[in-house]
Amino acid sequence: SNAFKKPNLRPSLPPPPAFAFDMDGVLIRGGKAVPGARRAIERLCGDNPQNREMPFIVLTNSGGESEASKAAKLSKQLGIEIKGDQFIVSHTPMQALAQTALRSKLVHVVGPDAVKDVAKGYGFEKVVTTREIRAWDKRMWPYPVLGGDHDYHRHDPSFNLTTDPISAILIMHDPPDWGLDIQIITDLLLSQNGHISTRRPLHHASLPADHPPFIPLYSSNADFLWSNDYAFPRFGQGGFVAALRGVWAPLMRDQPNGADRELPIAGQFGKPSAATYDFAKRVLARNSSNTKDAIGTVYMVGDNPASDIAGANRHGWTGILVETGVYKQGDVVVGDERPEVVVRDVEKAVEWVMRREG
Ligand code: G3P
Ligand code: MG
């Protein structure tokens, strides 16, 4: 037999590029597929000159439902299958909080009622919604409640607001009724250790400089704007938090410690946060491990410079900005919100990468 090894004449291919697609304003708008979106994803599933599969995820700041149900909805809208484990929504990395002491504590979730089940799915054992809190004493919000009044006496038996303090507030998705949530979140921050009916002293200059910390408030999405099929961008969760900040500042105006005048945000998730990009990197690595390929350049295709592109630039990905959502031709983007390239839509983005990667 031949003692000499034949040289390997097949040059080994560099690792394929990977993609992170934003959803609203890139793949869909107002529940309808953006033209070319399905085609773009098909290209990654092997329909390309090298017949290579390229790993991808959907990385969206939307939420309000489980990853699996969001993925199923998007699959239907696009007519191509996207799996739940390829889908990261704004609150997906909040799972990590359920691995802390908060797991068995009572947490307040903000968003549509469905976020309660999402939080339970993440492992939180005791979860209360805004409507459930308000039902405990309707005088807290003496106005009509969207979705109707809740009957506290038939509430979830896992908690009792008379005795259980609320240990954290998780804004998981844009709340349907901003006013109600601003009132209840403010009440909780001003309470003594999360007991809803109590209050810290809050007279002029009365909050001592060494007061106990506010209960932690987490936000899952800093997007001020997002894009549906209306002609102009809509306020996102970041808009809601700006409104909350807007009432917090005058409320705390007379506090001696200037820091107390700023809304205490304990943690920020969603694009462009490190928590979300780190989580996404782990998902991409896991999903591509079956192809045994290392991960090549990761391209983030997004419509929002402040969210998708800033996140990509800050976390080592290459940002591609499209014109089908928040960003419009002629808008000025500066600093770390500047993408590598601007293209018309997601299909053009994938074509640009294919050309670049050869
Ligand atoms: O609420 C949805 C929104 O803020 C953004 O969604 O997919 O553009 O990150 P997406
Ligand atoms: Mg978007």
Side-chain angles (χ1 to χ4, degrees):
S1 69
N2 193 344
F4 297 99
K5 265 196 176 161
K6 273 192 204 153
N8 182 3
L9 294 175
R10 265 191 60 186
S12 64
L13 289 168
F19 288 80
F21 294 106
D22 173 69
M23 185 175 78
D24 289 312
V26 171
L27 298 174
I28 59 166
R29 281 192 78 172
K32 279 182 236 56
V34 166
R38 175 197 171 130
R39 179 85 198 114
I41 291 187
E42 281 169 348
R43 302 285 308 261
L44 312 190
C45 298
D47 182 9
N48 55 61
Q50 299 179 338
N51 296 321
R52 279 182 111 180
E53 278 192 38
M54 300 175 189
F56 72 93
I57 53 171
V58 176
L59 185 58
T60 173
N61 269 356
S62 76
E65 289 166 65
S66 73
E67 293 73 16
S69 74
K70 291 291 269 189
K73 225 180 240 175
L74 180 64
S75 301
K76 215 167 156 196
Q77 285 155 343
L78 294 184
I80 190 163
E81 201 203 351
I82 299 192
K83 300 194 187 77
D85 67 358
Q86 289 176 288
F87 209 96
I88 299 166
V89 303
S90 70
H91 44 70
T92 308
M94 281 181 158
Q95 287 170 39
L97 296 175
Q99 306 307 319
T100 69
L102 287 178
R103 183 181 195 85
S104 54
K105 303 264 178 69
L106 180 59
V107 298
H108 169 212
V109 292
V110 174
D113 288 346
V115 295
K116 176 164 176 150
D117 286 333
V118 177
K120 292 211 152 188
Y122 290 168
F124 293 102
E125 289 163 9
K126 298 162 87 178
V127 182
V128 62
T129 64
T130 303
R131 289 205 309 138
E132 285 170 328
I133 294 174
R134 187 269 185 177
W136 185 72
D137 187 336
K138 296 194 169 125
R139 294 171 302 176
M140 279 194 259
W141 183 250
Y143 313 106
V145 168
L146 233 118
D149 277 349
H150 205 90
D151 182 1
Y152 188 73
H153 300 289
R154 294 197 307 166
H155 84 296
D156 175 350
S158 71
F159 61 82
N160 178 349
L161 287 177
T162 311
T163 52
D164 297 348
I166 290 171
S167 297
I169 306 163
L170 276 60
I171 308 176
M172 294 182 70
H173 194 47
D174 311 22
D177 195 345
W178 284 23
L180 169 64
D181 274 288
I182 287 173
Q183 181 70 72
I184 303 288
I185 291 172
T186 306
D187 284 337
L188 278 173
L189 292 174
L190 296 182
S191 71
Q192 311 242 24
N193 306 316
H195 287 281
I196 183 66
S197 63
T198 66
R199 181 145 287 207
R200 299 162 182 258
L202 194 75
H203 314 297
H204 172 68
S206 62
L207 201 54
D210 60 346
H211 65 81
F214 297 108
I215 62 170
L217 168 67
Y218 297 97
S219 153
S220 71
N221 169 9
D223 289 356
F224 189 64
L225 297 171
W226 68 292
S227 177
N228 69 349
D229 49 352
Y230 187 63
F232 308 105
R234 306 291 81 202
F235 290 130
Q237 196 188 115
F240 167 71
V241 173
L244 179 58
R245 226 174 236 131
V247 297
W248 183 258
L251 194 63
M252 303 300 275
R253 188 187 52 201
D254 295 332
Q255 294 307 315
N257 183 352
D260 288 330
R261 287 170 225 150
E262 273 190 32
L263 182 72
I265 302 257
Q268 178 69 61
F269 296 84
K271 296 172 289 184
S273 76
T276 284
Y277 280 81
D278 289 346
F279 189 97
K281 285 175 187 177
R282 287 198 297 276
V283 170
L284 269 175
R286 192 189 64 214
N287 289 2
S288 60
S289 64
N290 46 355
T291 65
K292 285 193 305 233
D293 276 320
I295 296 208
T297 305
V298 181
Y299 295 92
M300 169 90 226
V301 186
D303 68 305
N304 187 337
S307 179
D308 310 313
I309 307 303
N313 286 335
R314 289 175 203 166
H315 305 290
W317 291 358
T318 300
I320 304 178
L321 185 59
V322 296
E323 296 172 352
T324 47
V326 169
Y327 171 82
K328 291 280 176 281
Q329 213 172 39
D331 287 355
V332 179
V333 282
V334 293
D336 64 0
E337 297 183 6
R338 292 181 59 167
E340 181 77 17
V341 65
V342 181
V343 295
R344 199 185 62 215
D345 57 27
V346 62
E347 189 176 12
K348 287 268 175 288
V350 170
E351 283 167 6
W352 182 85
V353 173
M354 301 276 173
R355 276 199 308 277
R356 186 187 211 219
E357 297 267 337

